[in-house]
Amino acid sequence: MSKRFPVPTPAAQTRSFLFLQGPHGPFFHRLGRMLRAAGASVWRVGFNQGDSAFWPHRASYIPFRDRPEDWPARLDRLLDDKAITDIVLYGDTRPIHAAAVDAARARGLTVHVFEEGYLRPYWVTYERGGANGHSRLMDTTVAQMQDALRNLDLDLPDAPARWGDMRQHIFYGALYHWFVMFLNRGYRNFRPHRNITVARELRLYLRRIALMPAYAASRIYATWKIKTGGFPYHIALLQLEHDASFQNHGPFDSMTDFLDLIIEGFAKGAPQHHHLVLKAHPLEDGRAPIRRTIARLAREHGIAARVHYVRGGKLARLLDDARSAVTVNSTAAQQALWRGLPLKAFGTAVYLKPEFVSTQTLEEFFHLPTRPDSRAYRDYRHYLLETSQITGSFYSARGRRQLLRQVVDMMLSPEDPYDALNAGRPAPRQHLRVVN
């Protein structure tokens, strides 16, 4: 093990953090409170009543009630007035966050980006500067990762089988949109970053909550048919059509385009006794007619009896017997790679490395998929767990506590997690514990 030297940490009292929009629920408030306890100054900009409701520290809350086009100028004034050194946000692609990232780069400020875990469900992602297609991982080769890990012991937890806090996630999402729907009178200029109205978003959340028992019954039956069918099958890992990873880091205009490509490729390339399983995202809420689209495309290609749709549920049970996996850039692909399954992916994703993602055409892949280099993927996964993946969750109380124990010190560190590992000073990590 290389000798480690302490890195002087700038006093927290010299840091001023500006929070923008975060994950639904109290995580950003708890994070700000702990940074404040460390001695830092903390401010929060709220863009609607949902942001306000989850930030009870009124002295540090700054409402933005102007038009969206006024945001860059207002942000510049805030950065000056509050002497901001750090910006904290959840996802870096929504317009208000993209503008903040640009402003921070121009001024040399640190941008702390939170996202859902690349190795979800029991981890969240913390990076500086950008996440997903804007992550430093995009330009880091597996060989460079292996070099950074050369003096570390390999001790990896298994890939968890389920999300961990789905009910809390849905609950906080519904509550957030309720505030925006019914109490947003003070933010008349607010425009959501989604392409549907807040009212429609709220109705979808409430509908999903109401139909959860019916969805569960449908999922159990569909999974039973697949598991007892005795046929080889390939699995397509679907995403939310409105998600930033699909919209901003994928090559398709809609989920229909992706489904059309996958079903056609399977019909032309897969052996005639193989089946195709299309697994919906756990938060799929019906805003896109995925089930009807799949049924139509399967009929058009003459494979209706060989195509199955599963709404949400545990991915592990289906992956255990699958022959391969296909996706745009879903993080669920990490579970497929962990099991050594052949993977075909489209778009931009942090795991798109030639060592473990197939370069075959889709027809070739469904006919005889090439297996990944599992040793290379194990090193890649270890690298993520030593850098950007933090044990915990945004939505459950236990998960937040576990996350805060680690991430605050990482944010206050002068070193980016990737630079710290390259220098032989990785942040201390907790052992994995269930956080639901």
Side-chain angles (χ1 to χ4, degrees), residues 12 19 32 49 129 143 147 152 167 173 181 203 211 218 245 250 276 373 402 425:
F19 281 64
Q49 189 59 34
D147 185 59
L152 292 179
R167 286 171 297 180
M181 177 66 184
R203 285 196 297 270
L211 293 177
S218 170
S245 292
L276 176 64
D373 182 342
Q402 200 164 358
R425 295 184 288 268

Side-chain angles (χ1 to χ4, degrees), residues 41 52 194 235 240 279 332:
S41 298
S52 175
R194 307 287 195 202
I235 187 167
L240 298 174
K279 170 70 167 57

Side-chain angles (χ1 to χ4, degrees), residues 402-417:
Q402 200 164 358
L403 177 56
L404 289 169
R405 290 188 184 106
Q406 302 167 86
V407 79
V408 173
D409 288 339
M410 294 177 70
M411 294 174 69
L412 291 172
S413 171
E415 288 185 300
D416 178 287

Side-chain angles (χ1 to χ4, degrees), residues 105 278 322 361 394 405:
R105 286 175 179 160
L278 297 115
T361 68
F394 298 126
R405 290 188 184 106

Side-chain angles (χ1 to χ4, degrees), residues 188-224:
R188 297 186 183 277
N189 292 312
F190 170 69
R191 299 292 181 272
H193 64 283
R194 307 287 195 202
N195 60 2
I196 64 172
T197 66
V198 174
R200 171 69 171 152
E201 190 104 23
L202 177 61
R203 285 196 297 270
L204 289 169
Y205 269 104
L206 296 177
R207 180 176 180 270
R208 177 168 177 78
I209 292 172
L211 293 177
M212 285 181 76
Y215 290 163
S218 170
R219 179 172 63 246
I220 290 170
Y221 177 66
T223 303
W224 175 82

Side-chain angles (χ1 to χ4, degrees), residues 332-343 351 356-357 372 374 377:
Q334 302 267 10
Q335 290 199 39
L337 288 171
W338 179 245
R339 288 166 172 79
L341 289 179
L343 176 68
Y351 55 78
F356 35 81
V357 176
S374 293
Y377 178 71

Side-chain angles (χ1 to χ4, degrees), residues 193-196 201 204-205 239-248 255 283-285 287-288:
H193 64 283
R194 307 287 195 202
N195 60 2
I196 64 172
E201 190 104 23
L204 289 169
Y205 269 104
Q239 289 157 269
L240 298 174
E241 186 178 78
H242 58 275
D243 188 78
S245 292
F246 187 90
Q247 291 290 330
N248 298 305
M255 184 59 69
L283 289 175
E284 181 57 55
D285 55 18
R287 72 183 64 184

Side-chain angles (χ1 to χ4, degrees), residues 122 160 162 164 391-393 396 398-399 402 431-436:
Y122 294 134
R162 59 192 177 91
T391 309
S393 74
S396 68
R398 186 185 299 180
Q402 200 164 358
H431 295 293
L432 178 70
R433 296 200 303 269
V434 175
V435 296
N436 57 326

